[in-house]
Amino acid sequence: MNLQAEIPLDYMIMLSTIVFFVGLLGVIIRRNLISMLMGVELMLNAVNINFVAFNHYLFPHRLEGHFFRIDSDGHSSSRSRHCNSVNH
Amino acid sequence: MTGPKIIFFILAACIVVFSILSVTSRRILRAAIFLLFVLVAMAGLYYMMNFQFLAAVQLILYAGGIVVLIIFSILLTSQINSKLDPPKISHLIAGVTTAVGGIVLAAVTILQYTFRPTAESAIGTDMRTIGIQLLDTQITGYALPFEVISILLLAALVGSIFIARKHNT
């Protein structure tokens, strides 16, 4: 399946832009730690879409976006663990 | 409209609608479930881009781990029945202005720029290639970030135990 011909890279980046700023909206309008954590989670996942999309569309000969995304998994799980312990 | 395009638009609509619902919902447990739907739809996007390993990681780690952790902390702090306060008008205005302005600014910038893909042939994304590159110390390897991220996880574990312990001992 040739995804580049079907779906341009711009679609993916626009999608992740919208999700990122919706997450930012959530961080701004909520004053609850768990709600803010969910907003940050949305922003982080938007960035992950960007990593994977750039890897797939522009630089398919390396797996850099792939491993950046796996590393950001580690960041996000350590951060949510921290937030939960702060909350208790 | 072809098949992949239809699937992409369904997934994108799911992601956008549920992320907005997750941010605006005043019941926090529902917000967590909407976040779960967003994460599962993102796993579908990874499947579309042929990254099966990442889609599995997304389902296991985010849908199975982080959302469950969030739901646990909602239940343990017994906020399940309370509705969140409606946001202050000043916060709402600031947030919506920032979001809409940011989306417009980013969209204008992205649509003006032309991305140039590399001419080199694509590498496979099967488990064997991923495993070899993840633990390789050559120029294409990612052993050092792998180790650094494990140190970060250990530090987060120690830090969260230190924060969450009882203070009367």
Side-chain angles (χ1 to χ4, degrees), chain B residues 12-97:
Chain B
C14 276
I15 289 174
V16 171
V17 168
F18 284 126
S19 60
I20 291 173
L21 280 177
S22 148
V23 162
T24 55
S25 171
R26 284 181 58 198
R27 291 181 185 273
I28 192 164
L29 198 62
R30 284 188 195 171
I33 299 300
F34 290 141
L35 181 71
L36 174 69
F37 290 156
V38 174
L39 299 177
V40 171
M42 282 180 182
L45 272 189
Y46 295 149
Y47 268 120
M48 285 193 72
M49 287 190 271
N50 243 335
F51 287 120
Q52 284 91 358
F53 178 67
L54 280 188
V57 166
Q58 174 90 5
L59 282 178
I60 294 168
L61 200 84
Y62 281 93
I66 288 178
V67 172
V68 172
L69 213 61
I70 289 174
I71 290 175
F72 265 155
S73 58
I74 292 168
L75 295 180
L76 286 177
T77 51
S78 65
Q79 296 173 332
I80 181 166
N81 288 321
S82 62
K83 273 186 159 180
L84 293 172
D85 301 331
K88 274 195 231 162
I89 295 296
S90 59
H91 286 169
L92 199 62
I93 292 171
V96 172
T97 314

Side-chain angles (χ1 to χ4, degrees), chain A, chain B residues 2 4-5 8-9 12 15-16 19-20 22-26 28 31-32 35 38-39 42 45-46 48-51 53-54 57-58 61-62 66 69-70 73-74 76-77 79 84-87 91-92 94-96 98-99 102-103 106-107 110-111 113 115-118 120-125 129-130 133-134 139-140 142 145-146 149 152-153 156-157 159-160 163-164:
Chain A
M1 185 179 75
N2 191 5
L3 199 64
Q4 278 91 338
E6 300 276 352
I7 302 158
L9 177 60
D10 291 350
Y11 285 21
M12 293 279 180
I13 303 177
M14 288 307 300
L15 174 65
S16 78
T17 307
I18 292 171
V19 177
F20 181 87
F21 283 105
V22 169
L24 187 64
L25 174 70
V27 174
I28 292 173
I29 67 175
R30 291 287 178 221
R31 280 289 157 266
N32 181 322
L33 186 68
I34 299 177
S35 301
M36 288 168 79
L37 176 68
M38 285 194 276
V40 174
E41 211 68 60
L42 277 178
M43 289 161 74
L44 199 106
N45 273 282
V47 175
N48 284 344
I49 290 183
N50 261 4
F51 276 140
V52 176
F54 280 126
N55 193 171
H56 180 81
Y57 283 87
L58 300 184
F59 304 104
H61 64 296
R62 297 280 299 272
L63 287 177
E64 279 180 330
H66 202 279
F67 291 120
F68 262 99
R69 194 219 168 280
I70 294 176
D71 283 352
S72 89
D73 277 349
H75 283 281
S76 85
S77 56
S78 56
R79 191 201 50 237
S80 68
R81 207 178 281 166
H82 225 97
C83 278
N84 283 319
S85 69
V86 170
N87 207 26
H88 284 169
Chain B
T2 51
K5 224 171 197 171
F8 174 78
F9 280 119
I15 289 174
V16 171
S19 60
I20 291 173
S22 148
V23 162
T24 55
S25 171
R26 284 181 58 198
I28 192 164
L35 181 71
V38 174
L39 299 177
M42 282 180 182
L45 272 189
Y46 295 149
M48 285 193 72
M49 287 190 271
N50 243 335
F51 287 120
F53 178 67
L54 280 188
V57 166
Q58 174 90 5
L61 200 84
Y62 281 93
I66 288 178
L69 213 61
I70 289 174
S73 58
I74 292 168
L76 286 177
T77 51
Q79 296 173 332
L84 293 172
D85 301 331
H91 286 169
L92 199 62
V96 172
T98 313
I103 288 174
I110 290 162
L111 294 178
Y113 188 80
F115 295 98
R116 293 177 209 292
T118 176
E120 295 188 45
S121 60
I123 195 174
T125 54
T129 319
I130 293 168
Q133 288 209 3
L134 185 62
I139 187 71
T140 57
Y142 292 86
F146 186 70
I149 210 77
L152 175 72
L153 274 171
L157 257 179
S160 49
I163 292 170

